[in-house]
Amino acid sequence: MKRLLTVLLFSVIAVQAFGQAVPALLVPADSRQLAMGGVTSRNYSGTGFAALGAGIWAPRSASSTVLALDGYMIVDEKLVLGLEGRDFIDRPYNVSDKMGGVTGTFKPYDLFLSLYGAYRISGALGAGLKLTSVTSDISPKAKGSAFCGDVWVRYGGSGWSASVEGRNLGGKINYGGGDYALPALAAVCGDWSPLHGLTLAAEADYLFSGAFMAGAGAEYCFADIAYARAGFHYGDASGALPTFASLGLGARYAGAFLDAGVLLLSQTLGTSFLVTLGYGF
C-alpha cells in the first residue's frame, strides 16, 4: 500500500506541477546516448542493425526495469525504415481493499512502440518522422494511452552534422480524470569529429511546459574496436529530466557490438544504467 501511494503521489505531483505526464518519454533511448549526456544521434550507417537493451532506471526512487529494442534497414541509398520499443516496468506492489486486506499485486509500466523513417533529400540534407504509441499504467484504476510523433531535419557534411527536431508532439493522455499533455519539446542537436576516433556532441531542448535541458558528450574510439564515452546533462528543476553526469564503454567486432552506460552525480537518477547488445550489417 505504501508503494502504491508513493507511485500515485509522484504521478499527481508531476501532472499538477508541470502539466505533463509520462516523463519516461524523456529518458535516453540507448546505452550510447545515455553515456554521452543524453544527446540524440541521427546517424545511420551500414545497411541496417538490430539491438536489444536492458537496465535499471532511477534505482533510488522508481527503480524501473528498462527493456529496449531497436532496429533499422537502409532500403536504398536514401531511405531508412526502423522500429523501436521501450518498456519501463516498476517493481510490483501489493493492492489492498478498503479493509486493508491484500487482494493481489500490481506492476506499473510505461510502454512505447514506434515506427520511424528517414529520407536523404540531397547529399547533405535529410528529414525524418517517428510515430509512437504510448501506454501508461500507473495503478489498477489509472491507465491511459496516446499517440505522439517526432519530426526532424538534419544537415551534415564530412565529420559533422546538425539537426532541428520536435519530439513527443501532438499527444495527450487520459488516466480517467482528464487529458494531460505528453512532454513535447523542440531540440537542436549537433556532432563533430575533429580527429579520427573522436566525436563530440551537444544538444539543447526546450520543453513546451516551459522547462529547459541540455547535454554534451564525447566518445573516443580505440583501434575501431573499443569505445570510451562521457557526458553531462543539465535539467531544469521545473520539469525536465534531472541533471546527471554519465560514463560508458563499448566494443565492436565483426559487426557485433556491446555498449554500457551509467549515470552519476544525481540524487534522483544516480546509478541508473543501460546495457545494449546488437549487430550491425
Side-chain angles (χ1 to χ4, degrees):
M1 185 65 179
K2 181 179 179 181
R3 183 165 179 79
L4 169 60
L5 293 176
T6 301
V7 171
L8 292 178
L9 179 61
F10 275 117
S11 302
V12 170
I13 290 174
V15 169
Q16 291 183 345
F18 312 132
Q20 59 186 19
V22 200
L25 284 167
L26 299 176
V27 175
D30 61 62
S31 301
R32 182 177 184 269
Q33 181 184 357
L34 186 79
M36 296 180 67
V39 179
T40 300
S41 174
R42 301 292 184 186
N43 296 317
Y44 305 103
S45 59
T47 58
F49 102 120
L52 296 173
I56 300 294
W57 183 254
R60 299 174 186 175
S61 53
S63 191
S64 299
T65 298
V66 183
L67 302 176
L69 64 86
D70 192 7
Y72 69 78
M73 289 286 295
I74 298 180
V75 180
D76 57 31
E77 293 183 354
K78 294 187 175 183
L79 179 63
V80 177
L81 296 176
L83 59 85
E84 180 182 287
R86 286 186 290 159
D87 197 3
F88 292 79
I89 310 168
D90 280 359
R91 288 178 297 189
Y93 59 81
N94 291 332
V95 177
S96 303
D97 58 23
K98 294 181 180 180
M99 302 300 294
V102 175
T103 60
T105 61
F106 181 79
K107 185 181 294 185
Y109 70 90
D110 291 322
L111 174 64
F112 314 136
L113 299 175
S114 305
L115 296 175
Y116 62 89
Y119 186 77
R120 182 160 57 86
I121 301 170
S122 67
L125 180 65
L129 172 68
K130 181 167 79 170
L131 301 176
T132 299
S133 167
V134 177
T135 301
S136 180
D137 198 356
I138 61 176
S139 83
K141 296 183 179 180
K143 181 177 181 178
S145 60
F147 292 93
C148 63
D150 297 2
V151 293
W152 64 89
V153 176
R154 177 182 178 274
Y155 190 86
S158 177
W160 69 274
S161 70
S163 63
V164 178
E165 310 190 8
R167 300 184 198 143
N168 308 324
L169 303 175
K172 291 188 176 182
I173 193 166
N174 190 317
Y175 292 102
D179 292 336
Y180 300 106
L182 301 178
L185 61 87
V188 177
C189 316
D191 59 74
W192 177 45
S193 297
L195 302 171
H196 177 71
L198 176 64
T199 300
L200 306 176
E203 175 177 334
D205 306 327
Y206 176 76
L207 281 81
F208 297 167
S209 63
F212 173 79
M213 59 186 186
E219 173 186 76
Y220 190 77
C221 175
F222 301 88
D224 294 325
I225 295 177
Y227 295 77
R229 305 179 179 107
F232 183 82
H233 168 91
Y234 166 79
D236 192 325
S238 65
L241 195 65
T243 298
F244 61 80
S246 57
L247 293 173
L249 296 172
R252 301 282 192 278
Y253 184 75
F257 62 89
L258 177 65
D259 293 322
V262 63
L263 303 190
L264 307 169
L265 305 181
S266 172
Q267 184 175 359
T268 306
L269 303 178
T271 68
S272 297
F273 71 91
L274 185 63
V275 178
T276 304
L277 176 64
Y279 183 80
F281 45 91

Short mmCIF file of all heavy atoms in Angstrom, two decimals, residues 17-20 26 149-151 164-172 181-187 204-213 238-240:
data_model
loop_
_atom_site.label_atom_id
_atom_site.label_comp_id
_atom_site.label_asym_id
_atom_site.label_seq_id
_atom_site.Cartn_x
_atom_site.Cartn_y
_atom_site.Cartn_z
N ALA A 17 2.14 19.86 -11.28
CA ALA A 17 3.17 20.88 -11.29
C ALA A 17 3.61 21.25 -12.68
O ALA A 17 3.90 22.41 -12.98
CB ALA A 17 4.39 20.40 -10.47
N PHE A 18 3.68 20.28 -13.58
CA PHE A 18 4.27 20.54 -14.88
C PHE A 18 3.26 20.44 -16.01
O PHE A 18 3.58 20.74 -17.16
CB PHE A 18 5.42 19.55 -15.13
CG PHE A 18 6.37 19.45 -13.98
CD1 PHE A 18 6.76 18.21 -13.50
CD2 PHE A 18 6.85 20.58 -13.35
CE1 PHE A 18 7.63 18.11 -12.43
CE2 PHE A 18 7.73 20.49 -12.28
CZ PHE A 18 8.11 19.24 -11.83
N GLY A 19 2.03 20.00 -15.73
CA GLY A 19 1.01 19.90 -16.76
C GLY A 19 1.34 18.86 -17.81
O GLY A 19 0.87 18.96 -18.94
N GLN A 20 2.15 17.87 -17.48
CA GLN A 20 2.51 16.85 -18.45
C GLN A 20 2.67 15.51 -17.75
O GLN A 20 2.84 15.45 -16.54
CB GLN A 20 3.81 17.23 -19.17
CG GLN A 20 4.99 17.42 -18.25
CD GLN A 20 6.22 17.94 -18.96
OE1 GLN A 20 6.13 18.48 -20.05
NE2 GLN A 20 7.37 17.77 -18.35
N LEU A 26 11.23 11.09 -21.92
CA LEU A 26 12.45 11.92 -21.99
C LEU A 26 13.72 11.11 -21.74
O LEU A 26 14.82 11.63 -21.92
CB LEU A 26 12.37 13.05 -20.96
CG LEU A 26 11.21 14.03 -21.11
CD1 LEU A 26 11.22 15.03 -19.96
CD2 LEU A 26 11.29 14.76 -22.45
N GLY A 149 4.33 12.01 -32.00
CA GLY A 149 5.26 11.90 -33.12
C GLY A 149 6.50 12.77 -32.94
O GLY A 149 6.49 13.76 -32.21
N ASP A 150 7.58 12.34 -33.60
CA ASP A 150 8.81 13.13 -33.70
C ASP A 150 9.02 13.51 -35.15
O ASP A 150 8.74 12.71 -36.06
CB ASP A 150 10.03 12.33 -33.24
CG ASP A 150 9.96 11.92 -31.78
OD1 ASP A 150 8.96 12.22 -31.11
OD2 ASP A 150 10.93 11.29 -31.31
N VAL A 151 9.54 14.70 -35.39
CA VAL A 151 9.95 15.11 -36.73
C VAL A 151 11.33 15.75 -36.61
O VAL A 151 11.66 16.36 -35.59
CB VAL A 151 8.95 16.10 -37.37
CG1 VAL A 151 7.62 15.42 -37.64
CG2 VAL A 151 8.75 17.32 -36.48
N VAL A 164 17.49 19.91 -36.35
CA VAL A 164 16.44 20.59 -35.61
C VAL A 164 15.28 19.62 -35.49
O VAL A 164 14.87 19.02 -36.50
CB VAL A 164 15.99 21.89 -36.32
CG1 VAL A 164 14.86 22.56 -35.56
CG2 VAL A 164 17.17 22.85 -36.47
N GLU A 165 14.75 19.47 -34.27
CA GLU A 165 13.78 18.39 -34.05
C GLU A 165 12.61 18.84 -33.18
O GLU A 165 12.74 19.75 -32.36
CB GLU A 165 14.47 17.20 -33.36
CG GLU A 165 15.75 16.76 -34.05
CD GLU A 165 16.30 15.45 -33.51
OE1 GLU A 165 15.59 14.81 -32.69
OE2 GLU A 165 17.40 15.08 -33.91
N GLY A 166 11.47 18.16 -33.36
CA GLY A 166 10.35 18.25 -32.45
C GLY A 166 10.04 16.84 -31.98
O GLY A 166 9.99 15.91 -32.79
N ARG A 167 9.83 16.66 -30.68
CA ARG A 167 9.63 15.31 -30.13
C ARG A 167 8.39 15.25 -29.25
O ARG A 167 8.02 16.24 -28.61
CB ARG A 167 10.85 14.87 -29.31
CG ARG A 167 12.15 14.82 -30.09
CD ARG A 167 13.29 14.30 -29.26
NE ARG A 167 14.56 14.64 -29.88
CZ ARG A 167 15.67 14.99 -29.22
NH1 ARG A 167 15.65 15.01 -27.90
NH2 ARG A 167 16.77 15.31 -29.86
N ASN A 168 7.77 14.09 -29.24
CA ASN A 168 6.57 13.82 -28.42
C ASN A 168 5.45 14.79 -28.73
O ASN A 168 4.74 15.27 -27.83
CB ASN A 168 6.93 13.88 -26.92
CG ASN A 168 8.11 13.02 -26.55
OD1 ASN A 168 8.30 11.93 -27.11
ND2 ASN A 168 8.95 13.50 -25.65
N LEU A 169 5.28 15.07 -30.01
CA LEU A 169 4.34 16.10 -30.43
C LEU A 169 2.92 15.55 -30.59
O LEU A 169 2.73 14.42 -31.03
CB LEU A 169 4.78 16.69 -31.77
CG LEU A 169 6.19 17.31 -31.83
CD1 LEU A 169 6.51 17.74 -33.24
CD2 LEU A 169 6.31 18.47 -30.86
N GLY A 170 1.94 16.37 -30.24
CA GLY A 170 0.55 16.10 -30.62
C GLY A 170 -0.28 15.25 -29.71
O GLY A 170 -1.50 15.21 -29.85
N GLY A 171 0.32 14.57 -28.76
CA GLY A 171 -0.44 13.61 -27.97
C GLY A 171 -0.85 14.11 -26.60
O GLY A 171 -0.15 14.92 -25.98
N LYS A 172 -2.00 13.65 -26.12
CA LYS A 172 -2.44 13.84 -24.74
C LYS A 172 -2.90 12.49 -24.20
O LYS A 172 -3.41 11.66 -24.94
CB LYS A 172 -3.55 14.87 -24.65
CG LYS A 172 -3.10 16.29 -24.95
CD LYS A 172 -4.20 17.30 -24.65
CE LYS A 172 -3.69 18.71 -24.86
NZ LYS A 172 -4.73 19.73 -24.52
N ALA A 181 -0.94 16.63 -21.18
CA ALA A 181 0.00 16.67 -22.30
C ALA A 181 1.20 15.77 -22.05
O ALA A 181 1.64 15.59 -20.91
CB ALA A 181 0.47 18.10 -22.52
N LEU A 182 1.71 15.18 -23.11
CA LEU A 182 2.99 14.48 -23.05
C LEU A 182 4.11 15.51 -23.08
O LEU A 182 3.91 16.66 -23.46
CB LEU A 182 3.09 13.52 -24.23
CG LEU A 182 2.00 12.45 -24.31
CD1 LEU A 182 2.19 11.60 -25.56
CD2 LEU A 182 1.98 11.58 -23.08
N PRO A 183 5.34 15.13 -22.67
CA PRO A 183 6.44 16.09 -22.57
C PRO A 183 7.02 16.47 -23.94
O PRO A 183 8.14 16.08 -24.29
CB PRO A 183 7.47 15.37 -21.69
CG PRO A 183 7.22 13.92 -21.94
CD PRO A 183 5.73 13.79 -22.12
N ALA A 184 6.25 17.24 -24.70
CA ALA A 184 6.69 17.67 -26.03
C ALA A 184 7.81 18.69 -25.91
O ALA A 184 7.87 19.48 -24.96
CB ALA A 184 5.51 18.27 -26.80
N LEU A 185 8.70 18.70 -26.90
CA LEU A 185 9.84 19.62 -26.85
C LEU A 185 10.37 19.92 -28.25
O LEU A 185 10.10 19.19 -29.21
CB LEU A 185 10.95 19.04 -25.97
CG LEU A 185 11.59 17.69 -26.39
CD1 LEU A 185 12.76 17.88 -27.36
CD2 LEU A 185 12.07 16.93 -25.16
N ALA A 186 11.13 20.99 -28.33
CA ALA A 186 11.91 21.34 -29.53
C ALA A 186 13.38 21.20 -29.19
O ALA A 186 13.81 21.57 -28.09
CB ALA A 186 11.59 22.76 -29.98
N ALA A 187 14.17 20.64 -30.11
CA ALA A 187 15.57 20.35 -29.83
C ALA A 187 16.47 20.79 -30.98
O ALA A 187 16.07 20.76 -32.15
CB ALA A 187 15.76 18.86 -29.57
N ALA A 204 20.45 20.92 -27.10
CA ALA A 204 19.68 21.82 -26.25
C ALA A 204 18.20 21.60 -26.53
O ALA A 204 17.80 21.52 -27.69
CB ALA A 204 20.06 23.27 -26.50
N ASP A 205 17.39 21.49 -25.46
CA ASP A 205 15.97 21.19 -25.58
C ASP A 205 15.13 22.22 -24.84
O ASP A 205 15.46 22.60 -23.70
CB ASP A 205 15.64 19.81 -24.99
CG ASP A 205 16.49 18.69 -25.56
OD1 ASP A 205 16.86 18.78 -26.75
OD2 ASP A 205 16.80 17.75 -24.83
N TYR A 206 14.04 22.63 -25.46
CA TYR A 206 13.05 23.46 -24.78
C TYR A 206 11.74 22.71 -24.73
O TYR A 206 11.15 22.38 -25.77
CB TYR A 206 12.86 24.80 -25.51
CG TYR A 206 11.76 25.63 -24.88
CD1 TYR A 206 11.99 26.32 -23.69
CD2 TYR A 206 10.50 25.69 -25.46
CE1 TYR A 206 10.99 27.06 -23.10
CE2 TYR A 206 9.49 26.44 -24.87
CZ TYR A 206 9.74 27.12 -23.69
OH TYR A 206 8.74 27.85 -23.10
N LEU A 207 11.30 22.38 -23.51
CA LEU A 207 10.03 21.69 -23.34
C LEU A 207 8.89 22.70 -23.39
O LEU A 207 9.00 23.82 -22.87
CB LEU A 207 9.99 20.94 -22.01
CG LEU A 207 10.74 19.60 -21.98
CD1 LEU A 207 12.23 19.82 -21.79
CD2 LEU A 207 10.20 18.70 -20.87
N PHE A 208 7.79 22.30 -24.02
CA PHE A 208 6.67 23.22 -24.18
C PHE A 208 6.01 23.55 -22.84
O PHE A 208 5.21 24.49 -22.75
CB PHE A 208 5.64 22.63 -25.14
CG PHE A 208 6.17 22.44 -26.54
CD1 PHE A 208 5.47 21.69 -27.46
CD2 PHE A 208 7.37 23.02 -26.94
CE1 PHE A 208 5.95 21.51 -28.76
CE2 PHE A 208 7.86 22.84 -28.22
CZ PHE A 208 7.14 22.09 -29.14
N SER A 209 6.35 22.80 -21.78
CA SER A 209 5.88 23.13 -20.44
C SER A 209 6.62 24.33 -19.85
O SER A 209 6.25 24.84 -18.79
CB SER A 209 6.07 21.93 -19.51
OG SER A 209 7.44 21.62 -19.38
N GLY A 210 7.70 24.76 -20.53
CA GLY A 210 8.49 25.89 -20.06
C GLY A 210 9.85 25.51 -19.50
O GLY A 210 10.65 26.39 -19.18
N ALA A 211 10.15 24.23 -19.37
CA ALA A 211 11.43 23.78 -18.83
C ALA A 211 12.50 23.73 -19.92
O ALA A 211 12.20 23.72 -21.11
CB ALA A 211 11.27 22.41 -18.18
N PHE A 212 13.75 23.68 -19.48
CA PHE A 212 14.89 23.63 -20.39
C PHE A 212 15.84 22.54 -19.94
O PHE A 212 16.00 22.29 -18.75
CB PHE A 212 15.63 24.98 -20.39
CG PHE A 212 16.91 24.97 -21.18
CD1 PHE A 212 16.90 25.08 -22.56
CD2 PHE A 212 18.13 24.84 -20.53
CE1 PHE A 212 18.08 25.06 -23.29
CE2 PHE A 212 19.32 24.82 -21.25
CZ PHE A 212 19.29 24.94 -22.64
N MET A 213 16.45 21.86 -20.91
CA MET A 213 17.52 20.93 -20.59
C MET A 213 18.53 20.89 -21.74
O MET A 213 18.22 21.28 -22.87
CB MET A 213 16.98 19.53 -20.28
CG MET A 213 16.19 18.86 -21.36
SD MET A 213 15.48 17.28 -20.74
CE MET A 213 14.78 16.64 -22.27
N SER A 238 12.32 22.73 -13.03
CA SER A 238 10.89 22.98 -13.19
C SER A 238 10.17 21.89 -13.98
O SER A 238 8.98 22.02 -14.25
CB SER A 238 10.67 24.33 -13.88
OG SER A 238 11.17 24.31 -15.20
N GLY A 239 10.87 20.81 -14.37
CA GLY A 239 10.12 19.74 -15.01
C GLY A 239 10.85 18.97 -16.08
O GLY A 239 10.23 18.18 -16.78
N ALA A 240 12.16 19.17 -16.25
CA ALA A 240 12.92 18.43 -17.25
C ALA A 240 13.53 17.18 -16.61
O ALA A 240 13.38 16.93 -15.42
CB ALA A 240 14.02 19.32 -17.84
#
